[in-house]
Amino acid sequence: MSKFGGNNKKEVPAVTSSSLSDIVFMLLFFFMVTTQLRETENKVIVKIPEASESVKLERKDLASYINIGTPTKQYQATFGTDSRIQLNDSFKSTDDIRDFIAAERESMSEGDRQFMTTVIRADEDVRMGIITDVKQELRRCSALKIMYSSRKGGAQ
């Protein structure tokens, strides 16, 4: 008759870490592919105004940004301290907005062009005349879907 129990305990094998590096590289590759880097450098100082009511932008990939504000310190020697319009990575005038909107539309697929939104990121101290000029130029090139960038303000 055989005995049960005794000192015949089997040891649990050690966990192999050979596939650990594969998993780490797959995660690294996933985040490298899915992360979008900032496409433009801010050349104007924009302190976004507060708003009592705000709505989050649904699809940021369909948004074209127009920044309006005073140039940063490194550009003030060249462009002065008056408010300027930044389209992508360069300072432009209101006459260049039409070409900017046309280029942004061309970069989108044909089905997404109707959902294109122009976002105006203007400093809270910018004169309304510049914003009105930008809006008039956007109206001329049929970019009628406009949003203003703002931050959530406190209850008033």
Side-chain angles (χ1 to χ4, degrees):
M1 192 163 171
S2 67
K3 292 185 178 182
F4 294 103
N7 293 338
N8 296 339
K9 291 186 177 180
K10 295 182 181 177
E11 290 193 24
V12 178
V15 177
T16 60
S17 60
S18 61
S19 64
L20 186 62
S21 62
D22 293 339
I23 293 170
V24 169
F25 282 116
M26 283 192 325
L27 284 172
L28 180 66
F29 184 71
F30 171 75
F31 286 115
M32 285 173 53
V33 169
T34 58
T35 303
Q36 289 183 345
L37 299 176
R38 180 177 290 172
E39 295 175 5
T40 59
E41 174 191 355
N42 287 337
K43 294 184 177 183
V44 292
I45 301 169
V46 177
K47 183 180 178 196
I48 299 174
E50 288 185 2
S52 58
E53 297 291 326
S54 61
V55 178
K56 189 169 184 168
L57 188 60
E58 295 276 331
R59 292 191 53 193
K60 291 184 180 181
D61 60 327
L62 298 177
S64 300
Y65 292 91
I66 298 175
N67 297 325
I68 305 172
T70 57
T72 57
K73 296 273 186 206
Q74 62 187 7
Y75 297 107
Q76 284 182 359
T78 309
F79 298 103
T81 57
D82 198 23
S83 297
R84 304 283 297 185
I85 299 170
Q86 177 187 350
L87 304 175
N88 288 335
D89 273 338
S90 59
F91 292 110
K92 301 287 185 174
S93 66
T94 53
D95 299 331
D96 300 320
I97 292 176
R98 187 174 294 181
D99 295 333
F100 170 72
I101 295 296
E104 291 289 314
R105 281 190 182 134
E106 288 298 317
S107 68
M108 294 181 184
S109 67
E110 197 165 327
D112 288 339
R113 289 181 188 167
Q114 61 184 348
F115 301 114
M116 179 181 157
T117 304
T118 305
V119 179
I120 298 176
R121 292 184 68 231
D123 189 61
E124 63 184 5
D125 296 327
V126 168
R127 291 178 285 120
M128 197 61 196
I130 296 172
I131 296 174
T132 303
D133 293 343
V134 169
K135 285 173 43 179
Q136 290 295 330
E137 195 61 34
L138 289 172
R139 187 177 297 156
R140 286 187 194 106
C141 61
S142 298
L144 303 176
K145 201 171 187 182
I146 301 172
M147 292 186 80
Y148 295 96
S149 183
S150 67
R151 58 187 159 96
K152 191 74 169 168
Q156 297 175 356

